Amino acid sequence: MAKAFDDNERKLIKDKLKEGALLFIQQQGVRKTSVDELVKYANISKGAFYLFYTSKELLFFEMFLFQL
């Protein structure tokens, strides 16, 4: 059975996903950035990504919404 993430792990993973998303957006843009690249960067499974976000677009939206 999969291990649940504690609050600290969740924060670290979300931060790493946002860091990777920003990096990949700068390098190749939103459309060419894949969930596979993001999960590899954050060192989590693809299934775990979807525990945090329902889509990569939601991750990008959250990043830019909270920067305003």
Side-chain angles (χ1 to χ4, degrees):
M1 179 174 260
K3 173 180 129 336
F5 299 114
D6 65 29
D7 290 341
N8 187 47
E9 289 172 319
R10 291 183 67 76
K11 182 183 179 336
L12 291 172
I13 291 168
K14 285 186 94 167
D15 289 347
K16 193 70 173 176
L17 286 169
K18 289 176 184 177
E19 179 184 307
L22 186 59
L23 176 71
F24 291 122
I25 288 171
Q26 291 171 340
Q27 291 177 350
Q28 59 198 24
V30 172
R31 293 186 72 184
K32 290 186 179 178
T33 299
S34 70
V35 172
D36 289 326
E37 290 171 315
L38 294 169
V39 300
K40 185 175 180 182
Y41 186 85
N43 197 30
I44 60 171
S45 69
K46 199 170 191 177
F49 175 86
Y50 290 106
L51 294 174
F52 293 92
Y53 300 100
T54 56
S55 69
K56 71 174 185 181
E57 290 79 14
L58 190 60
L59 165 60
F60 297 140
F61 179 75
E62 182 179 296
M63 287 174 52
F64 294 115
L65 178 67
F66 291 114
Q67 286 186 350
L68 298 176

